[in-house]
Amino acid sequence: MRSHYCGELNLSHDGQEVTLCGWVHRRRDHGGVIFLDMRDREGITQVVIDPDTEEAFALADKARSEYVLKITGFVRPRPEGTTNANMSTGEIEMLAKHVEVLNEAQTPPFQIEGYTDVGEDVRLKSRVIDLRRPEMQEKMILRSKVTSAVRAFMDARGFLDVETPVLTRATPEGARDYLVPSRTHEGKFFALPQSPQLFKQMLMVSGFDRYYQIVKCFRDEDLRADRQPEFTQIDIETSFMDEAQIMGTTEELVRHVFSKTKGVEFGEFPHMTYADAMNRYGSDKPDLRIPLELVDVADLMASVEFKVFKGPAEDPKGRVAALKVTGGAQLSRKQIDDYTKFVSIYGAKGLAWIKVNELENGANGLQSPIIKFLGDDVAMQIMERLGAENGDIVFFGADREKVVNEALGALRCKIGADLNLYTKEWAPLWIVDFPMFEETDDGKLTALHHPFTAPSCSPEELENNPVTALSRAYDMVINGYEVGGGSVRIHRQEMQQTVFRLLSIGEEEQREKFGFLLDALQYGAPPHGGLAFGLDRLVMLLCGTDNIRDVIAFPKTQSAACLLTQAPGEVDGNQLRDLNIRIRRDPASATSH
Ligand code: ASP
């Protein structure tokens, strides 16, 4: 029907007859002439309808916002003084000859033009309308450009796109599974994949060598701002490549995507060890746009009598760290109170601080409720270690290491954002040398990445020192977001069984859950490894938003529901009977018989 998209027209079309199809974005009557802003996904063109063209004028006069029209006319330059430099079509307009109303529309639930301040719930419920907003269309178009850049890059390097099943067995990635009851196997369930991890490894054993897939994954976990229960991974696996090669290729992919879609050129990504990241930034996904760093001061605090500091300073699982904020002495009491509340979310019991007012006066030039507990000497030694200067503020964390890292790590990012301390627009890096395992409070080991990650040592060494063993895993971090993660995998059965054993997965459970993998490893599994990127997060970063729902056409809410379709929904009794499922409406009475 159309000859051009609305957003496509410019002076090069001057004098041409064109046909546009789209929606009425705005209508204005100007002294007997009607102006319609016609919109489609590519942009907006101003259409002028003159009363001389009687039929067209009568139809345009009836048209309201969001009517769907087909308009034929001539492109002409806008009269002098009426051009709009903010629009790609701002130098031209169309003089309509013929208007056809393809469909009428009711008044939309919220305005499509410009900024909308309606709540997100309203937007999600009326997603069809919300997606019409030029801002949302731009995001979806960018997302499509990203996936096509990924495919072009992977195809050019010989990666094969292979699909893996959605109805499958559980793949442990550390979240809860979404389950699907089987009708044909009474009492049995499929799990939706948390990732295609085991299938992509088996594809390597089958010899496919370089695999990728842009694939949906499902994790039933508590949602945060940057998570969704179903999300998309760019999933990659290779054989005969070591970690340096895998990181090299995937880093090149990200560079290609940023360059193609945003014109952003990255240099080589720095590498940082996990230990270093935790020490300096309190996080394994540090936002390196922010120049603040955590500094250990436990050795100085061990000598003070103040229990709040002395206790954690002497505890091998404790940490006492300081965070110097340049220019932070201007923070008000209220702001400091707000930061104290903020760190309490991470379990910190308080937030001690020292303002540096006049360092030339020694400890007398410091302002703080805690100096009297620290003593002047220790306070001044801390200032020296931090290189503090007049006008700075120093915050302290003293607790279990995990609490200090999480609290000060998050505070660092919050202050960085609040005071706009960013020193650059983009800060990509790799985190390497992760520990193999994490110790839970009850002394059990869990896999830090997933149980198929290869350790950097032999099975014997791993068994002897599991807690200190490092893995061959790597994460890619950009601006404080983990955008991708992967590892070299275990490709020998013996090592895989050692890891299962250390994770307290007994022989029987190993066979039951992972027998197919253990068998595959016996038939000539090549050395292999890979990585998965979170596509949604990557697109989110490229769009400059921190709301993951804005880059997914039909996302779920934070309580994992779809407001548009009202999913999840109830199902009919017959369907449940077919599946041999009975709903326990009242859990208390259901357990009593
Ligand atoms: N399967 C991993 C994940 O989803 C990524 C990988 O190891 O390739 O996090």
Side-chain angles (χ1 to χ4, degrees):
M1 285 190 193
R2 64 157 62 95
S3 67
H4 293 81
Y5 276 114
C6 297
E8 224 179 311
L9 300 178
N10 54 45
L11 279 179
S12 74
H13 302 93
D14 184 13
Q16 275 184 34
E17 187 183 87
V18 299
T19 301
L20 302 177
C21 292
W23 288 261
V24 176
H25 194 61
R26 218 148 56 105
R27 206 194 76 153
R28 298 178 310 278
D29 291 330
H30 272 301
V33 178
I34 297 176
F35 287 90
L36 292 182
D37 281 349
M38 286 294 292
R39 186 195 71 236
D40 59 30
R41 64 167 224 214
E42 297 298 318
I44 290 173
T45 285
Q46 171 171 297
V47 179
V48 183
I49 304 110
D50 205 274
D52 294 351
T53 47
E54 258 174 56
E55 200 191 327
F57 190 84
L59 288 167
D61 197 34
K62 277 203 325 203
R64 296 285 169 266
S65 276
E66 300 309 305
Y67 271 37
V68 190
L69 306 185
K70 176 178 167 189
I71 307 184
T72 304
F74 290 94
V75 179
R76 67 180 191 192
R78 288 197 193 186
E80 219 169 293
T82 63
T83 55
N84 181 350
N86 297 327
M87 285 173 85
S88 66
T89 61
E91 288 186 306
I92 55 98
E93 62 188 12
M94 178 215 235
L95 181 63
K97 289 281 161 241
H98 183 76
V99 172
E100 189 183 334
V101 177
L102 298 175
N103 210 347
E104 300 182 349
Q106 305 216 341
T107 311
F110 48 87
Q111 162 190 332
I112 287 168
E113 194 195 341
Y115 170 78
T116 175
D117 62 353
V118 294
E120 200 183 14
D121 278 9
V122 179
R123 287 177 46 207
L124 290 178
K125 199 159 178 346
S126 304
R127 191 62 160 179
V128 180
I129 304 298
D130 189 38
L131 285 173
R132 269 191 204 163
R133 296 192 302 121
E135 194 190 317
M136 295 302 286
Q137 303 234 321
E138 260 170 41
K139 294 192 169 96
M140 291 305 130
I141 291 169
L142 179 66
R143 185 176 174 122
S144 173
K145 284 194 183 140
V146 171
T147 50
S148 88
V150 168
R151 289 192 188 283
F153 180 94
M154 299 310 273
D155 293 347
R157 279 155 190 79
F159 282 80
L160 297 173
D161 179 1
V162 183
E163 287 176 78
T164 52
V166 171
L167 295 177
T168 178
R169 286 193 74 110
T171 305
E173 295 277 1
R176 246 183 240 120
D177 290 318
Y178 273 100
L179 297 175
V180 178
S182 160
R183 182 182 55 81
T184 45
H185 300 271
E186 191 183 325
K188 298 208 165 147
F189 294 80
F190 294 103
L192 302 183
Q194 292 188 29
S195 83
Q197 185 59 37
L198 295 175
F199 289 105
K200 67 174 172 175
Q201 290 191 230
M202 289 188 292
L203 286 171
M204 293 305 110
V205 185
S206 302
F208 288 101
D209 200 279
R210 288 169 172 226
Y211 142 98
Y212 86 104
Q213 192 185 183
I214 298 181
V215 61
K216 274 290 174 76
C217 301
F218 306 84
R219 297 184 190 178
D220 186 3
E221 44 191 350
D222 297 327
L223 304 182
R224 290 196 238 124
D226 66 339
R227 286 207 179 145
Q228 280 279 299
E230 64 175 296
F231 60 97
T232 307
Q233 283 191 344
I234 305 166
D235 197 40
I236 298 170
E237 196 75 8
T238 69
S239 299
F240 310 116
M241 278 169 100
D242 61 20
E243 46 271 66
Q245 291 168 312
I246 300 169
M247 284 192 273
T249 304
T250 50
E251 179 177 321
E252 219 187 303
L253 165 65
V254 167
R255 262 199 242 122
H256 172 82
V257 168
F258 271 77
S259 161
K260 278 273 172 251
T261 60
K262 291 294 270 188
V264 172
E265 304 297 335
F266 287 142
E268 240 175 71
F269 295 9
H271 289 208
M272 183 181 292
T273 65
Y274 173 87
D276 212 16
M278 297 309 278
N279 265 326
R280 292 167 61 191
Y281 306 102
S283 166
D284 60 358
K285 37 181 184 297
D287 187 343
L288 295 191
R289 291 173 305 167
I290 304 167
L292 311 179
E293 290 196 21
L294 276 56
V295 174
D296 274 312
V297 290
D299 55 324
L300 299 176
M301 295 293 198
S303 65
V304 303
E305 281 312 314
F306 191 32
K307 271 223 300 289
V308 171
F309 288 130
K310 192 179 172 64
E314 288 178 336
D315 178 351
K317 291 201 166 159
R319 182 170 189 195
V320 185
L323 179 71
K324 179 187 80 178
V325 182
T326 310
Q330 41 145 0
L331 291 175
S332 68
R333 199 53 216 239
K334 160 94 176 60
Q335 283 170 305
I336 296 178
D337 285 349
D338 287 345
Y339 289 138
T340 309
K341 251 185 238 143
F342 176 76
V343 293
S344 73
I345 303 171
Y346 302 89
K349 291 188 270 306
L351 182 64
W353 52 270
I354 297 179
K355 282 186 181 177
V356 188
N357 295 334
E358 290 160 0
L359 210 52
E360 54 283 10
N361 293 337
N364 287 336
L366 303 178
Q367 174 194 348
S368 164
I370 60 161
I371 305 256
K372 53 179 179 288
F373 302 115
L374 298 185
D376 290 359
D377 276 359
V378 170
M380 288 309 285
Q381 281 174 35
I382 294 172
M383 293 304 118
E384 200 181 320
R385 177 165 304 171
L386 296 170
E389 288 178 16
N390 289 347
D392 295 349
I393 192 168
V394 178
F395 289 108
F396 294 90
D399 211 307
R400 281 183 303 137
E401 187 176 0
K402 189 168 173 336
V403 172
V404 170
N405 286 344
E406 286 183 2
L408 288 190
L411 181 66
R412 174 182 171 272
C413 293
K414 173 127 182 72
I415 293 181
D418 290 353
L419 304 187
N420 193 12
L421 300 177
Y422 300 119
T423 55
K424 47 182 117 166
E425 196 177 355
W426 297 104
L429 80 155
W430 287 103
I431 303 292
V432 296
D433 290 346
F434 283 85
M436 261 308 264
F437 302 110
E438 235 175 349
E439 228 178 344
T440 58
D441 286 339
D442 54 1
K444 287 220 176 85
L445 296 179
T446 57
L448 201 83
H449 196 53
H450 51 57
F452 317 107
T453 299
S456 315
C457 57
S458 69
E460 300 76 45
E461 285 169 310
L462 184 66
E463 206 126 27
N464 292 338
N465 295 304
V467 178
T468 53
L470 298 181
S471 74
R472 297 175 70 185
Y474 32 79
D475 276 358
M476 186 189 289
V477 175
I478 302 181
N479 293 2
Y481 287 99
E482 181 200 326
V483 293
S487 59
V488 169
R489 325 296 184 190
I490 296 168
H491 71 286
R492 296 217 167 93
Q493 202 198 34
E494 179 202 5
M495 179 66 98
Q496 188 63 70
Q497 284 181 312
T498 306
V499 169
F500 282 149
R501 219 174 15 253
L502 288 165
L503 292 170
S504 315
I505 303 176
E507 297 255 338
E508 207 175 311
E509 192 180 347
Q510 288 178 26
R511 279 254 52 95
E512 209 290 285
K513 288 190 174 154
F514 306 113
F516 59 94
L517 173 75
L518 292 171
D519 289 345
L521 295 182
Q522 281 183 306
Y523 291 106
H528 62 284
L531 174 144
F533 288 107
L535 174 68
D536 315 278
R537 265 190 210 167
L538 210 52
V539 177
M540 195 174 96
L541 273 170
L542 286 160
C543 287
T545 165
D546 52 10
N547 181 351
I548 205 158
R549 294 178 294 279
D550 273 352
V551 299
I552 299 174
F554 300 105
K556 306 273 189 294
T557 60
Q558 298 238 348
S559 67
C562 171
L563 295 181
L564 174 67
T565 63
Q566 302 292 324
E570 308 231 326
V571 298
D572 167 293
N574 291 331
Q575 238 176 325
L576 286 179
R577 208 161 307 128
D578 275 352
L579 294 168
N580 294 296
I581 287 182
R582 185 178 303 144
I583 305 287
R584 276 190 344 195
R585 297 258 170 226
D586 172 3
S589 69
T591 44
S592 64
H593 50 76

